[in-house]
Amino acid sequence: MNTHDAILELDNLTLGYDRHPAIHHLRCRIARGALVAIVGPNGAGKSTLFKALTGELQPLQGHFRVNAGKEGIAYLPQQSELDRSFPVSVFDMVSMGLWREIGAFRGLSRSQAERVRTALAAVGLSGFEARQIGTLSGGQLQRARFARMMLQDANLLLLDEPFNAIDARTIEDLVALILQWHAEGRTILAVLHDLTLVRHHFPETLLLARECVGFGPTDEILTPEHLATARRLAGEFDATAPVCHRPEAEAA
Amino acid sequence: MIAEALFAPFADFEFMRRALAGCLALALGATPVGVFLLLRRMSLMGDAMAHAILPGAALGYLAFGLSLGAMTVGGIVAGLVVALAAGLVARSSILKEDASLAAFYLLSIATGVMIVSLRGRNLDLLHVLFGSVLALDDASLLLISAISTATLAALALLYRPLVLECFDAAFLRGVSASSPIAHYGFLVLVVLNLVAGFHALGTLMAVGIMILPSAAARLWVKRLPAMLGLAVLIAFISGVGGLLASFHADVPAGPAIILAAGIVYVLSLILAPGGMLGARLDRRPHLES
């Protein structure tokens, strides 16, 4: 197998909590520059997969390789993890996307401050610099988080349900940004629930339901049969499940 | 006449000047830490940790009497243990954090009072519970000032990671390994400043000088640097006001200081833009967009 152009390889990866797998024996290879939608019912292990890729969760079994180079990974968690009541301005929040350059101590140079303003303009938030994040609407906050992600300038972008509770106009603008990042050669993995949007914009899809139901060109994966399989698999949870004895579990 | 009432107590009596210096040091160190406690929604956690310091300080007292060093070390160790244990209980049992904190704080205060009364007189117990801001000796004053200085330096170093840890910890973990440093470094600062506050105001009141000025400042200003500055100012003014009230009305100084901060807080709660009447008192017409 040629591994040179893969930015991400998952090898027999099993992730979970309390020994119950949320991702079960997942194998897949994401090519550099791919634009992949991750689709699956709630509890399918989509967010869990991102937690493992960013190092927050140790695999129960198997491993993965990230080849993102020095630019690394940028991760956009679900919006609920952010405390909007904290007193911080939009400019300050977005400028933290430059962390790799400024770290914990350095201030912004004039050109870096200019880049922050450019990123804000690119997401349509010019003039919002001094506003507190608590005064933004959900859509505006998501725009600000996209601006911050833009400044992170990463090779591999992980977006966890970026369009949850976001209106159509904002989704349109943010999808355009994602497509632009894709055109710049970055690799993008996005957890999405809107299948119409996936069919429209995402060439590849990984359909998850704890197991990998399918991975490949979106048209071939998002079929009624596959989706029905995903629904069935994700519903199963057995608190007294026996230890897994599949060949791939024994082999590792 | 008024000027004399305000200045004479400090000009005439050394113990008042020492108390004033102690209040200034606490305002500069403990209050900024309190601002972050408040913004991290850890005010009650701070309260529980303050009570947790009691049995540690009491053990030091049991072994060495009213020794500054022993009570300080005992307090710091006990505070750190409870800070870590409360988080552990919340993560590894079905109890929520508020329940585990309440349990810790009740047990701590019962244990502490029990230990002190094993050996001491009631006067000592009062000293431990309510502090002795009017009787700060050189060593105590030095300790409080040193903790305050170290706190300001540490906050300057930790500022950016700590702010991120407060409002978007997931992002910080993504870009940097400094998330645990910010989290645990902050807990250490909380414990150190509670011990400093304990010497002046006692275990029951130490959290007051951290949380009350911070809550009042939050109601007035929107930006974090302004909030830090205003909270320090309120804490210091409360210190001065409490000391003067204590001097003129012959009431205990520690509670007077906390009550002074409480008055500022209640007034802010009513009048400030973020308070109960603040938004309604604003009669300016609304804008076009």
Side-chain angles (χ1 to χ4, degrees):
Chain A
M1 189 160 69
N2 175 18
T3 57
H4 288 296
D5 54 349
I7 195 164
L8 177 64
E9 275 182 274
L10 311 179
D11 185 10
N12 192 26
L13 187 66
T14 295
L15 308 167
Y17 309 93
D18 288 337
R19 296 170 68 212
H20 288 290
I23 289 279
H24 209 184
H25 301 301
L26 179 61
R27 274 176 211 284
C28 96
R29 231 171 123 261
I30 309 288
R32 193 173 296 278
L35 176 57
V36 182
I38 301 181
V39 176
N42 290 333
K46 307 179 298 288
S47 302
T48 306
L49 177 60
F50 281 0
K51 287 214 165 79
L53 294 181
T54 51
E56 272 187 58
L57 187 71
Q58 285 300 311
L60 296 177
Q61 197 179 26
H63 39 84
F64 63 88
R65 247 187 312 279
V66 180
N67 253 320
K70 70 174 170 51
E71 285 85 8
I73 300 180
Y75 169 41
L76 192 76
Q78 291 186 26
Q79 199 165 315
S80 56
E81 301 195 18
L82 191 145
D83 177 4
R84 289 167 68 173
S85 67
F86 195 89
V88 62
S89 72
V90 172
F91 184 91
D92 286 348
M93 179 209 147
V94 170
S95 66
M96 287 302 106
L98 293 170
W99 182 282
R100 203 153 43 80
E101 295 169 38
I102 60 177
F105 305 115
R106 279 187 297 280
L108 293 179
S109 69
R110 190 165 304 182
S111 70
Q112 283 166 330
E114 197 48 50
R115 279 161 63 202
V116 175
R117 275 188 284 274
T118 309
L120 278 168
V123 297
L125 284 184
S126 287
F128 282 74
E129 286 84 354
R131 289 268 291 269
Q132 298 285 304
I133 57 169
T135 67
L136 297 185
S137 71
Q140 289 166 339
L141 181 64
Q142 197 65 333
R143 286 172 188 265
R145 297 172 85 224
F146 266 68
R148 180 172 69 179
M149 191 168 211
M150 190 185 294
L151 289 173
Q152 284 182 266
D153 197 23
N155 262 338
L156 176 57
L157 280 60
L158 311 174
L159 297 97
D160 198 350
E161 305 202 12
F163 305 137
N164 243 5
I166 303 289
D167 69 22
R169 159 110 194 274
T170 306
I171 292 180
E172 203 177 297
D173 291 354
L174 295 181
V175 165
L177 274 177
I178 291 180
L179 294 177
Q180 183 191 325
W181 294 339
H182 176 54
E184 290 166 3
R186 304 179 204 273
T187 312
I188 297 154
L189 273 65
V191 170
L192 295 167
H193 285 298
D194 180 349
L195 299 186
T196 317
L197 190 143
V198 172
R199 289 198 176 96
H200 219 95
H201 297 292
F202 285 73
E204 287 179 285
T205 295
L206 169 62
L207 181 57
L208 277 181
R210 268 186 284 165
E211 321 267 334
C212 173
V213 180
F215 174 51
T218 298
D219 309 339
E220 297 169 24
I221 300 301
L222 292 184
T223 61
E225 299 79 44
H226 280 142
L227 291 170
T229 311
R231 269 197 294 278
R232 183 172 51 74
L233 285 175
E236 296 169 356
F237 175 82
D238 183 357
T240 59
V243 171
C244 170
H245 285 300
R246 294 187 200 183
E248 59 263 45
E250 304 283 331
Chain B
M1 177 63 202
I2 293 177
E4 195 185 340
L6 290 180
F7 295 113
F10 299 112
D12 295 346
F13 297 98
E14 198 199 345
F15 72 89
M16 288 293 281
R17 287 198 293 279
R18 286 174 176 276
L20 188 66
C23 285
L24 180 60
L26 277 181
L28 284 172
T31 308
V33 171
V35 168
F36 283 101
L37 264 182
L38 182 91
L39 291 175
R40 300 199 73 180
R41 303 174 189 193
M42 286 167 62
S43 304
L44 283 175
M45 164 115 190
D47 200 32
M49 281 161 72
H51 291 85
I53 287 170
L54 182 58
L59 274 179
Y61 166 79
L62 190 65
F64 301 99
L66 280 176
S67 136
L68 179 77
M71 288 170 71
T72 300
V73 172
I76 291 176
V77 170
L80 288 176
V81 166
V82 166
L84 297 178
L88 197 68
V89 168
R91 268 200 301 278
S92 56
S93 81
I94 59 167
L95 284 184
K96 294 275 185 278
E97 195 151 29
D98 64 325
S100 87
L101 284 176
F104 269 115
Y105 121 47
L106 291 165
L107 291 177
S108 307
I109 201 148
T111 315
V113 170
M114 206 66 102
I115 294 174
V116 175
S117 62
L118 274 182
R119 166 165 167 186
R121 302 151 294 158
N122 278 341
L123 190 65
D124 293 339
L125 185 60
L126 279 181
H127 169 90
V128 172
L129 289 179
F130 297 108
S132 47
V133 66
L134 295 182
L136 292 175
D137 57 18
D138 280 349
S140 312
L141 209 48
L142 261 177
L143 178 78
I144 295 175
S145 318
I147 289 177
S148 179
T149 308
T151 300
L152 284 180
L155 278 181
L157 287 176
L158 281 178
Y159 187 80
R160 192 176 284 167
L162 185 57
V163 166
L164 268 178
E165 173 75 15
C166 289
F167 86 91
D168 200 354
F171 175 78
L172 179 63
R173 286 196 299 271
V175 295
S176 152
S178 59
S179 169
I181 301 173
H183 179 69
Y184 290 107
F186 177 67
L187 283 183
V188 170
L189 286 184
V190 173
V191 171
L192 281 178
N193 281 283
L194 284 171
V195 170
F198 151 75
H199 286 296
L201 302 169
T203 52
L204 293 184
M205 299 283 157
V207 181
I209 204 67
M210 300 173 116
I211 297 299
L212 286 172
S214 309
R218 179 81 175 106
L219 294 164
W220 287 105
V221 295
K222 290 193 173 134
R223 296 178 52 248
L224 181 56
M227 194 181 156
L228 288 165
L230 183 57
V232 167
L233 190 68
I234 292 174
F236 186 58
I237 290 174
S238 307
V240 175
L243 288 175
L244 287 172
S246 151
F247 183 86
H248 291 298
D250 195 22
V251 290
I257 291 171
I258 301 305
L259 274 179
I263 291 171
V264 177
Y265 168 69
V266 170
L267 287 180
S268 307
L269 200 53
I270 296 171
L271 297 174
M276 286 157 23
L277 292 180
R280 285 181 215 177
L281 291 178
D282 187 354
R283 298 255 174 224
R284 292 172 300 173
H286 70 264
L287 306 174
E288 192 160 282
S289 75

